Amino acid sequence: MERKKLEGNGLWESSRMMLPEHKQRIIEEEWEQLRRQKPVLDPQAVEEIERALAQLMEDHSPVTLTLFDPFEDNLARGIVMQLDRQRGIKLRWSEDDWDWIREGRGYFGFYII
């Protein structure tokens, strides 16, 4: 019986082993293909978002923000306590817990739900 050099998967039978470094690189490349580009908002859209956030802050109304992330969007729910172009949005999650949502974490890359 003559043995074929290439089998069903197109590889040499003896070359099925893969180095861990190669496997890790393949996984990283597949993950990078899922990366999304940050949406670019025009100045008018940014102004509309800022006006809506200012109104929500004045009303002490709860808000859900969808924060941009290159791989998946993140939700942030709370009450807008302060708006600052340098520091971001101060969002209160509960009575004792709050955080600043900064540009690096999605400020100006968010949508109001």
Side-chain angles (χ1 to χ4, degrees):
M1 177 176 179
E2 187 178 320
R3 189 164 188 160
K4 295 182 180 180
K5 292 181 183 178
L6 298 176
E7 294 296 324
N9 62 4
L11 297 175
W12 290 86
E13 273 302 305
S14 62
S15 66
R16 288 188 181 198
M17 191 173 77
M18 188 180 297
L19 293 173
E21 303 87 50
H22 294 161
K23 185 176 181 181
Q24 183 62 32
R25 182 65 184 158
I26 290 169
I27 291 170
E28 288 171 3
E29 286 179 10
E30 287 175 354
W31 183 249
E32 278 301 313
Q33 289 177 358
L34 299 176
R35 181 181 291 273
R36 303 177 302 159
Q37 294 295 317
K38 184 176 180 180
V40 177
L41 300 176
D42 63 66
Q44 184 178 358
V46 172
E47 187 177 319
E48 288 176 24
I49 291 170
E50 288 177 341
R51 263 189 273 132
L53 288 170
Q55 185 63 47
L56 289 164
M57 181 177 69
E58 187 177 310
D59 297 343
H60 296 284
S61 298
V63 64
T64 300
L65 302 175
T66 302
L67 304 173
F68 174 79
D69 180 82
F71 298 103
E72 63 181 20
D73 290 336
N74 298 306
L75 295 180
R77 294 181 182 90
I79 296 175
V80 178
M81 300 303 294
Q82 188 176 348
L83 297 172
D84 186 312
R85 285 192 181 268
Q86 297 295 320
R87 296 173 81 183
I89 303 168
K90 184 177 182 181
L91 199 62
R92 186 180 78 196
W93 322 112
S94 65
E95 284 298 317
D96 301 329
D97 196 17
W98 58 268
D99 198 8
W100 285 97
I101 306 296
R102 294 178 178 81
E103 184 170 354
R105 289 184 50 202
Y107 188 55
F108 292 131
F110 58 81
Y111 316 94
I112 299 174
I113 295 177

